[in-house]
Amino acid sequence: MNTLKNYFPILDWAKSYNKLTLTNDLIAAVIVTIMLIPQSLAYALLAGLPPEVGLYASILPLIAYAIFGTSRTLAVGPVAVVSLMTATALGSLGLANTTDYIAAAGALALISGTLLILMGFFKLGAMANLLSHPVISGFITASGLIIAASQLKHILGINASGHNLYDILSSIIIHLEDTNIPTLIIGVSATAFLFWTRKSLKPLLLKTGMNSKLADVIAKAGPVLAVAATAFATYYYRLELEGVKVVGIVPTGLPEFALPHFDAELWQQLFISAMLISIVGFVESVSVAQTLAAKRRQRIDPSQELIGLGASNVGSAVSGGFPVTGGFSRSVVNFDAGAETPAAGAFTAVGIAVATLFLTPLLFFLPKATLAATIIVAVLSLVDLGALKRTWSYSKPDFMAMLATILLTLLVGVEAGIIAGVTLSIALFLQRTSKPHDAIVGRIPGTEHFRNVDRFEVEYDEKIITLRIDMSLYFVNARYLEDRVYDLIAQQKGVQHFVLMCPAVNLIDASALESLEAINQRLKDFGVCFHLSEVKGPVMDQLKKSHFLNELTGQVFLSQYQAWCTLHNESDTRMSKCAKAALSD
């Protein structure tokens, strides 16, 4: 039964479901549904798809996540960054018609979902660590700027294209003289109104004495109000005849459920893009889920999250949608609205389904400029250029990685940016671990504590060198350790004992073991005994499987204090056995 609960978290939270939980989930679902309807339409257009596809991608995925997801408040659906990546992936295929484009979007979602599920079964939740926080922050900031810029064409009512900031702005400038004034008025007004509702409407309503929860619902309904007002204005004044581009006919009814047609060549072309979308979507989703879970002292299982998001994407593919993931803004709204279980997402799916069945005829006169305004307001909240300054102050290497990710994303494109981000994150990790922090330590007088000789006043024995290594030892830093030890021995004549202090060493791989064996032999030739101290149990278990401990010229001490007491007394009374052996040789 526990195994089933691991793969079907719904079995865990459903058993304690009650009327109060139901009420809270329903209220949250209403608020998120109001927010999701215009976002779904907008993000479908951002992905280059018909608006109804955004609604389709907001039904089955939410139900699938409710069954398989572990976060109680994560809101799954179309999001800005993944929609942009979808547009980039599909735009490079040169597809002839909308039907093929929709089919390719479904295939992209299915491949992404399959990859996520496979990674979940193999417990690869730790892959979220492939992207450092500065890199993912830089990528999201740059993507937000590209997305906002890409929507300016709808605000201006002109034709423009491009997959990076330079191309988009260049295209907009070229076509700027074609700006449609009624469209510009609608777009600017909607954008200003949405910014106002986001920041000022709720405080204003609270000042009138309105209940906080009701004020929050009304404030979150800002996009719906903008949609209704601009659609009515377009209909009443017949603005579509003035060149205002509208959504047009949106099919009524639920989508047909079927797996995308298998096309080996197409799927091969989409594979890399699907993999990148999977990584970015998972990192964004799990970051939000962990943050919100921590606020309620809950926990999520990253590997099961892979399965939950994978199932959501498969659900999107089956229902004619495109890749989805957990969204930051919607999840925060879901959390603040009081959602207690993933059932809130399932109720949201019902709300979207109802809208798809009965409300789509009302969207005919909805200006695309209004949807563009919705996207711009949503994504600009993700832009954090101040992070550059904060990162520069704290870590110059992280700043360089962040800046490189931003520039590559802006100037080349989102796929280049995310590949650079992953590469830079791994490169930073390797660079930092290739030269781990270490310190020569001595005893703080009158205690059993040993600290860095450069930071503290310590007792120090000239015949004993103790090097504390502050990282696990593996192939990247194994040679560094060898060189460091040999330099120390060369610098300090008369050394009889060398102690490698290992309180932070959680792993010694095969390459590092060979280095330890080489150090042991070289020190033996120098007449210096090689000792270890404070070796952790799992590391000792691994060392016992080798011949290293049998060949070790010194001892393995439980604590550094024990090593000090033993070796300090020995160095005071007699020559070490290693020095005698070296002389006899």
Side-chain angles (χ1 to χ4, degrees):
M1 188 64 179
N2 286 334
T3 302
L4 276 178
K5 286 183 179 179
N6 289 337
Y7 288 108
F8 296 91
I10 188 174
L11 298 176
D12 183 34
W13 56 261
K15 63 184 180 183
S16 59
Y17 208 75
N18 54 46
K19 289 184 178 179
L20 179 61
T21 307
L22 173 63
T23 301
N24 291 334
D25 283 348
L26 283 172
I27 292 173
V30 170
I31 295 173
V32 174
T33 300
I34 291 171
M35 183 180 186
L36 183 55
I37 290 174
Q39 281 193 353
S40 296
L41 299 170
Y43 291 148
L45 291 178
L46 175 60
L49 294 158
E52 67 271 14
V53 177
L55 296 174
Y56 300 160
S58 304
I59 301 174
L60 275 190
L62 280 71
I63 296 173
Y65 186 82
I67 297 171
F68 296 101
T70 60
S71 171
R72 299 294 180 97
T73 53
L74 187 70
V76 173
V79 300
V81 174
V82 170
S83 297
L84 177 63
M85 295 181 73
T86 298
T88 302
L90 301 183
S92 63
L93 298 177
L95 298 173
N97 54 61
T98 302
T99 302
D100 291 340
Y101 201 92
I102 294 173
L108 189 63
L110 183 59
I111 298 168
S112 177
T114 303
L115 289 173
L116 287 165
I117 291 172
L118 288 174
M119 288 186 287
F121 277 124
F122 286 106
K123 305 295 182 183
L124 298 180
M127 66 168 285
N129 300 325
L130 280 175
L131 287 170
S132 67
H133 179 73
V135 163
I136 194 64
S137 176
F139 174 72
I140 289 175
T141 290
S143 297
L145 292 173
I146 291 176
I147 292 167
S150 71
Q151 297 308 297
L152 291 177
K153 63 182 180 182
H154 297 300
I155 298 292
L156 298 169
I158 62 176
N159 292 317
S161 60
H163 292 300
N164 60 61
L165 189 62
Y166 176 79
D167 290 344
I168 291 170
L169 293 181
S170 298
S171 182
I172 288 174
I173 290 172
I174 291 172
H175 295 91
L176 197 57
E177 62 184 19
D178 300 327
T179 298
N180 181 271
I181 299 303
T183 300
L184 179 62
I185 293 172
I186 290 173
V188 171
S189 300
T191 303
F193 174 74
L194 290 174
F195 272 119
W196 178 78
T197 57
R198 175 173 285 232
K199 293 185 176 295
S200 305
L201 181 55
K202 184 177 179 180
L204 181 64
L205 293 174
L206 291 176
K207 286 182 181 179
T208 66
M210 183 177 291
N211 175 274
S212 177
K213 186 159 285 189
L214 179 58
D216 192 55
V217 172
I218 294 175
K220 295 298 187 299
V224 175
L225 296 176
V227 164
T230 55
F232 177 77
T234 303
Y235 165 74
Y236 187 80
Y237 294 106
R238 307 299 295 178
L239 294 179
E240 78 278 9
L241 301 179
E242 301 295 327
V244 174
K245 296 179 181 178
V246 297
V247 168
I249 297 174
V250 178
T252 299
L254 297 175
E256 296 182 1
F257 298 139
L259 283 171
H261 174 70
F262 177 72
D263 182 333
E265 183 179 354
L266 174 65
W267 287 33
Q268 184 178 358
Q269 290 176 300
L270 292 174
F271 183 81
I272 298 298
S273 296
M275 184 170 64
L276 294 176
I277 287 172
S278 299
I279 293 173
V280 172
F282 174 65
V283 171
E284 180 179 356
S285 178
V286 79
S287 299
V288 175
Q290 287 175 333
T291 300
L292 297 180
K295 291 184 177 181
R296 291 185 181 174
R297 297 189 178 183
Q298 297 169 347
R299 61 176 296 275
I300 68 165
D301 179 351
S303 293
Q304 182 59 30
E305 281 298 290
L306 285 166
I307 295 175
L309 292 175
S312 297
N313 277 280
V314 171
S316 185
V318 168
S319 56
F322 61 103
V324 298
T325 192
F328 176 77
S329 57
R330 283 198 306 275
S331 297
V332 172
V333 169
N334 198 37
F335 178 90
D336 291 340
E340 293 193 30
T341 73
F347 296 144
T348 299
V350 173
I352 299 296
V354 170
T356 305
L357 286 169
F358 301 108
L359 300 182
T360 51
L362 302 177
L363 299 174
F364 183 93
F365 290 100
L366 173 60
K368 290 185 177 181
T370 303
L371 296 180
T374 301
I375 294 175
I376 289 172
V377 173
V379 300
L380 287 183
S381 65
L382 303 176
V383 175
D384 184 12
L385 293 175
L388 281 167
K389 182 179 179 181
R390 296 192 300 272
T391 307
W392 169 264
S393 300
Y394 186 77
S395 170
K396 302 301 186 291
D398 279 331
F399 168 82
M400 296 306 296
M402 186 179 193
L403 181 62
T405 302
I406 290 175
L407 292 177
L408 277 169
T409 303
L410 290 178
L411 301 178
V412 181
V414 290
E415 291 193 351
I418 197 60
I419 290 172
V422 173
T423 304
L424 287 169
S425 294
I426 294 173
L428 273 177
F429 170 76
L430 294 177
Q431 185 270 332
R432 286 166 176 164
T433 57
S434 65
K435 293 184 178 180
H437 179 265
D438 60 66
I440 298 174
V441 300
R443 180 192 177 202
I444 295 180
T447 73
E448 297 183 6
H449 300 293
F450 291 78
R451 292 294 185 269
N452 191 335
V453 298
D454 294 327
R455 293 177 178 269
F456 296 87
E457 293 292 331
V458 297
E459 294 178 359
Y460 190 75
D461 189 328
E462 295 288 340
K463 296 181 180 179
I464 304 171
I465 296 178
T466 298
L467 180 68
R468 189 191 70 218
I469 193 80
D470 294 332
M471 187 172 289
S472 293
L473 300 174
Y474 72 122
F475 65 95
V476 172
N477 55 34
R479 181 55 62 88
Y480 169 82
L481 178 63
E482 286 189 56
D483 294 340
R484 178 75 168 122
V485 172
Y486 300 154
D487 287 345
L488 289 173
I489 296 298
Q491 292 170 11
Q492 191 164 326
K493 307 299 182 182
V495 174
Q496 296 182 6
H497 300 281
F498 183 89
V499 183
L500 186 65
M501 187 177 173
C502 308
V505 176
N506 298 312
L507 167 73
I508 296 177
D509 75 354
S511 298
L513 177 62
E514 288 188 9
S515 290
L516 291 180
E517 291 171 343
I519 291 170
N520 184 58
Q521 183 59 49
R522 181 73 68 89
L523 293 185
K524 181 179 178 182
D525 295 339
F526 291 157
V528 178
C529 286
F530 183 31
H531 309 272
L532 303 177
S533 72
E534 301 192 9
V535 181
K536 293 184 176 180
V539 177
M540 276 297 295
D541 292 340
Q542 287 296 113
L543 291 178
K544 287 176 181 177
K545 296 177 181 179
S546 70
H547 298 291
F548 173 70
L549 295 178
N550 295 329
E551 298 170 358
L552 185 65
T553 57
Q555 304 176 54
V556 179
F557 294 101
L558 184 63
S559 69
Q560 182 56 34
Y561 181 68
Q562 182 188 55
W564 168 264
C565 292
T566 301
L567 302 178
H568 181 60
N569 292 333
E570 178 181 316
S571 67
D572 284 344
T573 57
R574 62 184 184 277
M575 185 182 296
S576 73
K577 63 179 182 180
C578 298
K580 291 178 181 177
L583 289 174
S584 64
D585 290 343

